[in-house]
Amino acid sequence: MQKSKLKNQKFYVIIPAFNEEERIGEILSGVKNFTKNIIVVDDGSRDGTSRIAKKYGALTLRHRINLGKGATVKTGVEMAFSLGAETVVLMDGDGQHDPKHIPHFLEKINEGYDIVFGSRNLSFGVPLVRFLGNKFGSVLISLLFGIYRSDLLCGFMAFTKKTYSKIKWDSSRYGVETEIVARTGKNKLKYTEIPIETIYIDKYKGVTILDAIGILFNIPRWLIL
């Protein structure tokens, strides 16, 4: 997709970030190749994340305290839609998502999909325990909600404003991706996956065992609500 066509689309890129001053600048440089509509939500960082995000021209919002990824993404998404966005692209602020895939997500949205998920090659560079946990979760969600996402925990995705009203999540922390998938299946939304480059930087960062247990306990609630 040509850059000129991307500019004519009303989309924003949303980047949640926590203590990412070393990486956020490089990410924003890449995103700016496709759009200037960028929202960085600093989730109570103790470093210069907000300062650098502003330096690179991103609309920068900041939580005074750390509220968690789910709450941070929601802050950015709701700001984007209030500014007139029709579509949002979500990507992490730790460098694990390559901005070069942004046009691929938008192409699929233009084809009529409600939501587009990114999928990493989990056989490359992902710790075994996370690989197994991810696959277990994917199978469980498939059985309960009728949707199979091969990479359940990947936060690189895109969806429309209309879709947001149907997937709006309650998870404030790392359960956000799983809840979005569950609500996508429950509401029978039109979805697809696209392959994205695997960039696994920090094996100690992200969903912990305690986070995973919390997600499992929330699944029955998503079936009801």
Side-chain angles (χ1 to χ4, degrees):
M1 184 180 290
Q2 296 178 353
K3 185 177 179 180
S4 60
K5 291 183 180 179
L6 291 180
K7 284 184 176 180
N8 293 331
Q9 295 188 40
K10 294 182 179 179
F11 76 95
Y12 272 73
V13 174
I14 313 300
I15 305 175
F18 176 64
N19 293 338
E20 296 294 354
E21 66 176 359
E22 295 182 2
R23 294 169 178 156
I24 195 68
E26 182 178 356
I27 296 167
L28 292 173
S29 292
V31 174
K32 287 173 70 176
N33 289 325
F34 305 103
T35 183
K36 293 182 180 179
N37 295 335
I38 309 169
I39 298 176
V40 172
V41 186
D42 181 346
D43 192 26
S45 295
R46 297 181 297 273
D47 62 5
T49 296
S50 287
R51 174 178 55 82
I52 295 174
K54 291 176 183 177
K55 178 181 176 181
Y56 278 83
L59 171 58
T60 305
L61 310 176
R62 188 174 190 277
H63 292 162
R64 295 183 64 183
I65 60 173
N66 184 270
L67 298 179
K69 185 177 182 181
T72 304
V73 173
K74 183 178 285 186
T75 295
V77 167
E78 295 190 346
M79 174 59 77
F81 289 137
S82 75
L83 294 173
E86 296 173 353
T87 299
V88 291
V89 178
L90 313 184
M91 57 186 298
D92 290 349
D94 58 4
Q96 294 193 43
H97 299 155
D98 194 324
K100 72 181 181 182
H101 295 296
I102 290 172
H104 307 149
F105 284 93
L106 296 172
E107 286 172 358
K108 292 299 182 182
I109 291 292
N110 285 341
E111 289 175 12
Y113 288 98
D114 299 311
I115 186 166
V116 183
F117 298 111
S119 179
R120 300 164 294 179
N121 181 353
L122 294 177
S123 63
F124 178 79
V126 179
L128 180 61
V129 64
R130 289 192 178 179
F131 172 81
L132 294 175
N134 200 330
K135 288 302 179 184
F136 171 77
S138 294
V139 172
L140 181 60
I141 292 296
S142 176
L143 291 173
L144 294 176
F145 296 94
I147 176 174
Y148 182 80
R149 185 181 177 191
S150 62
D151 185 3
L152 189 63
L153 301 179
C154 180
F156 206 171
M157 67 181 76
F159 53 81
T160 65
K161 183 177 182 179
K162 183 178 179 180
T163 297
Y164 179 58
S165 65
K166 298 178 180 179
I167 64 168
K168 191 172 182 179
W169 54 91
D170 297 319
S171 300
S172 62
R173 297 193 176 274
Y174 282 115
V176 55
E177 289 92 357
T178 306
E179 184 176 353
I180 287 174
V181 176
R183 294 190 183 279
T184 297
K186 185 175 181 179
N187 287 287
K188 302 186 185 306
L189 299 177
K190 186 177 180 181
Y191 74 95
T192 189
E193 287 189 330
I194 61 171
I196 63 170
E197 184 175 343
T198 304
I199 309 173
Y200 209 80
I201 296 172
D202 189 348
K203 67 181 180 179
Y204 298 107
K205 199 169 186 179
V207 180
T208 65
I209 295 297
L210 289 178
D211 292 325
I213 293 172
I215 292 170
L216 287 175
F217 275 106
N218 274 317
I219 288 176
R221 186 166 60 88
W222 300 337
L223 282 167
I224 300 170
L225 300 178

